[in-house]
Amino acid sequence: LVAAVALLTACTPAREAPAQGAARTLVVADSYPVTHPASRDGIVYFTDRVRELTGGGLEVEYYPSEQLGKATDYVKLVASRAVDIGVVSPPYLSDKLPLSNVGDLPGLSTDSCTTARAVGELTREGGLLHREEFAPRGLRTLFVGVVPQYELFTNGPVTDPAQLAGLLTRSPGGVVDQTLDTLGATPVSLAGPEVYEAMSRGTVDAMTLPPMSAVPFRLDEVASHATEGAPLGGFTLTFAISEALWQELPQSHRDAMARAGEETSRHLCAVMDEQTEQARSTLEDGGMTFTSLSPAQQQRWQAAVASVRAEWAADMEDRGRPGRAALTAMQTALDRARDGDVEAAR
Amino acid sequence: MTTHTARRDPVDRVLRTVENAAAAVGLAGVAATVALIVIDVALRYLVGAPLSWSVGFVGDYVLVGLFFLGLSFTVREGAHVRIDLVHKRLGPAGRRVLAVAGSVLTAAFLALVGWGGFLLTAGAVRHGDIPLAGASELSWPVWTSAVLVPLGAGLAVLRVLHTLALDLRGPAPAAAPTPTAEEIA
Amino acid sequence: MVLAGVLVLLFVLLLARVPVGVAIGVSGVVGLLAQGGPSAAVGFLETTPYAAVSTYTLAAIPLFILMAQLVLKSGVTAELFAAARVWVGRVPAGLGVATTATGATFAAVSGSSTAAAAALASTTIPEMEREHYDGRLANGLVAVVGTLAAMVPPSIILVFYAILAEVSVGQMLVAGLVPGLLVTLTIILTTLFLVRRTPSLAPAGRRYGIGEKLRTIPVLGPVALLFLLVVGSIYLGLTTPTESAGLGVAGALAIGLARRRLDAARIRDALVETLTSTAMILLIIASAYLFGYFMTLTRITGTLVEAIAGLAVPPLLVFALIALVYLVLGAFLDQLAILALTVPVVLPVIEQLGFDPIWFGVMVILLAEIGLVTPPLGMNVFIVSTSTGRPAEEIFVGVLPYVAALLVLVAALAAAPGVVLWLPETMGG
Ligand code: NA
Ligand code: NA
């Protein structure tokens, strides 16, 4: 057996050490199907740009759809360099990257580009989330994506947060659980594909999810109404590279990745915002009514979820993590991102 | 089931006691799961408020505990499926070579799994990983579940090494039993 | 090159009587080492075994095993057989038909083929021998009937496939119902055909009165109830398969205790069997993930899919070839290992050809079950042989006509996939 192992190991050059001048091939993996924007307009867009910018100096083998591990595995697989670049989604990793859920807290922003820019600032080298969570785990983020606007899908209109009291409500997990809890609903953990059946059978009374995800699951068939503008937070995802690998790369490759990362963040958020709009009209065509919340109603929702952020920060502090600083930094970054939008618009 | 009833040295006795206790803990988890499910379904249909943490508990504690804590017990009882096609046609010397090789490989593989589990546990301790309480999670430190991997795999490695020592020292192992109802398909 | 080397290594380890889970795991680690280097091997060893095991859906497996063990330890098989004899009455080869009916009923509450074969062998064969049944027929029949447990829900192997193929566990379980009934029917018709051709093989059953039939209800009632509880709650979507399995355990325990058939020692035995069987299955699952990640890194699946997409042959012909491979594998390898090793690679090909993954699951399990009674490694045949003392070679001969009939069923289901798929499709809501 030892001989067999030696033979097998000898007959493949392990991918650690590329020959001088030859292209380096990176193993890239995530949990998204290739049709999801995080794949098509995220990592594929990114690696295409990197390939162009390095003149083919960096090549990529891409493994989508959990081919190399579950969504929660990549944080470890990238750090241990089993995978070179992988998806790191804080909402699935409340045990490992709790502070990085700050971008998903309710009532902060409903716009993918603004949120993505702010989270990008915090996860960049020197940013609070990079310093507190990504760097200690040997990770460096390459770009950020945000699926915006969790909404409440129900049978019958919902305009006031008090209407959630006692509703069994599908939750995607993460901080949405806390939000629903605070609003008096009972969060039920269900994966996307299970939601249709649960709703049609009445196992749950309501569902929290972004309009973008409601379309592929045909949820317009099982819910008559959805909120428009309920401040229920969003879903942040990042793609990260191992810091050790980053340090091995020549400066030209790092520059290419940094530039491609900036471009991808901008491209991906625009696609997310656009697809959210499209999703809403598709669902409306399917017979669903979106109830737009008036400013007064919005205010009541905002008041109801404000304590979620405060409690989240306090909970982090209890664990010895700088929750308040993270929340403040996120709010500051969001303000700057919005100012940036205003300037860009001029 | 093939138990080496003739082999009751002190090491075996200690291992046996630990294995039986570990297996009992693993099985207690299964009993708890049945109770949890009955309560959970009842609460869902009667009160409309299921237990929020049963999914996390069953996945991270019951299954991990049942498998890893029960591993050594299972190795001892010889319940892992093997293919007897060649073995049946071998003489005592050949069988002994296969038994030794099988034990060495099993010990090596379980040691690797235990090592991976140790890294997992050490990382969870170092970073203080702990999930937020939520719709499916218990807010218990991650290492309390991860540590079952190195503990269970480590115990099983000791068991295999003990069997290996006996095989190297003692008489050739008895003829392979015909496959029996241990196999579930 | 690496792939070929690792496959040879796996085959050698399996033949060297290394436990199947260990053989797959060692080959996977060696492959990861060769394909991805030490960082890949260590990285996957850290995450994979824990992640593979800590999956809530998998809890259905120990629970279904425990439920079957509780039913088994309650001694229900003998009672079911007695009841089946009464209901079958005066038909040709009555005991044989009753045996098949017992197997099918037992399958409806048991997830394990081999457990079913063992239980059936000890209850039905002595009775058939007393009535001068041909030995080959009696032993062969029981070995085949035992395989029903895997197809009729609840079934551990259906759950196992659903997890590997990432299809709904509930739909997969419900999909086994119609094919399970068809397998039952095929076995009965084959028995009747054999006896009609050679009447000396088996005598007819005797007539029973309506009173005797009614007296079987205390036995059949609880079994029917348990089946309805488990499969009904899955079909109606009232509970997840894992929850249904948990309710099934509670039900089996309650029935066993109420009928005073379970005591502490029997429950303990059932738990120990559950532990050892589960550990064996989960070791194969964890190892299969390691091996699967190695296979992914070799990109063999994509290569295969492209190669087959490039062939200009009808999809059914490709399926026939795949089925042949499964039959051959089934004759050598353990059923769980076959699924664990092949499904991740073959399923993308099957889907590319336009076949349904749930239909394919039923076909693969049917083929693997045929493998359970074909030489050289027909596990069910060995179990029956151990139980009755008949030589395995003789039982393999007795099984032959049934294998032929089941292959015809495979062809029929391949031609008419709707037969398999209509029931799970009515579940959607
Ligand atoms: Na069954
Ligand atoms: Na076989």
Side-chain angles (χ1 to χ4, degrees), chain C residues 174-175 178-179 181-182 235 416-428:
Chain C
V174 169
V178 171
L181 288 175
L182 291 176
Y235 179 76
V419 175
V420 175
L421 292 173
W422 73 266
L423 192 62
E425 273 164 9
T426 61
M427 289 173 70

Side-chain angles (χ1 to χ4, degrees), chain A residues 42-317:
Chain A
I43 191 63
V44 172
Y45 185 89
F46 172 83
T47 51
D48 285 350
R49 281 301 285 146
V50 168
R51 203 179 283 121
E52 280 167 29
L53 291 169
T54 59
L58 276 178
E59 279 299 323
V60 166
E61 276 176 14
Y62 176 42
Y63 301 94
S65 308
E66 298 199 329
Q67 282 183 34
L68 287 181
K70 301 181 181 177
T72 47
D73 292 346
Y74 295 103
V75 62
K76 282 262 172 207
L77 292 174
V78 172
S80 61
R81 299 188 59 178
V83 163
D84 294 321
I85 295 176
V87 69
V88 174
S89 303
Y92 298 142
L93 297 164
S94 82
D95 57 340
K96 296 190 173 60
L97 305 170
L99 287 176
S100 302
N101 282 289
V102 68
D104 303 323
L105 286 171
L108 289 179
S109 159
T110 54
D111 165 84
S112 180
C113 283
T114 311
T115 315
R117 199 177 308 170
V119 175
E121 196 183 313
L122 299 191
T123 53
R124 185 173 304 140
E125 189 163 8
L128 184 138
L129 295 178
H130 178 261
R131 194 173 63 235
E132 290 290 332
E133 295 194 327
F134 286 85
R137 289 180 190 269
L139 301 175
R140 169 180 290 262
T141 52
L142 294 168
F143 65 89
V144 173
V146 173
V147 182
Q149 299 178 20
Y150 275 111
E151 301 285 1
L152 191 75
F153 292 75
T154 46
N155 280 305
V158 167
T159 51
D160 195 89
Q163 286 173 274
L164 264 77
L167 291 190
L168 274 179
T169 307
R170 181 267 167 167
S171 166
V175 291
V176 178
D177 286 351
Q178 270 80 35
T179 307
L180 291 172
D181 224 26
T182 303
L183 294 174
T186 304
V188 177
S189 166
L190 284 175
E194 298 169 352
V195 177
Y196 183 100
E197 202 176 313
M199 190 72 182
S200 71
R201 295 221 162 92
T203 315
V204 294
D205 309 310
M207 314 174 274
T208 324
L209 71 174
M212 249 176 66
S213 313
V215 173
F217 298 127
R218 309 189 331 265
L219 296 185
D220 49 322
E221 294 175 9
V222 290
S224 65
H225 285 73
T227 54
E228 184 175 351
L232 294 170
F235 183 101
T236 298
L237 61 97
T238 74
F239 276 79
I241 186 171
S242 123
E243 181 65 30
L245 170 59
W246 177 265
Q247 294 301 338
E248 277 174 24
L249 294 175
Q251 189 61 41
S252 61
H253 287 181
R254 292 192 223 164
D255 291 344
M257 284 202 185
R259 185 168 156 202
E262 288 291 329
E263 290 177 11
T264 306
S265 289
R266 275 203 299 276
H267 170 77
L268 179 57
C269 79
V271 171
M272 295 278 198
D273 278 333
E274 188 190 304
Q275 291 218 346
T276 301
E277 277 307 312
Q278 272 175 12
R280 233 190 316 263
S281 61
T282 308
L283 292 169
E284 278 172 343
D285 292 345
M288 191 180 258
T289 309
F290 277 83
T291 315
S292 181
L293 302 177
S294 72
Q297 289 165 339
Q298 282 271 3
Q299 221 163 23
R300 275 204 300 282
W301 282 88
Q302 282 291 353
V305 300
S307 67
V308 176
R309 297 195 298 271
E311 272 167 35
W312 177 85
D315 188 27
M316 290 297 126
E317 297 286 341

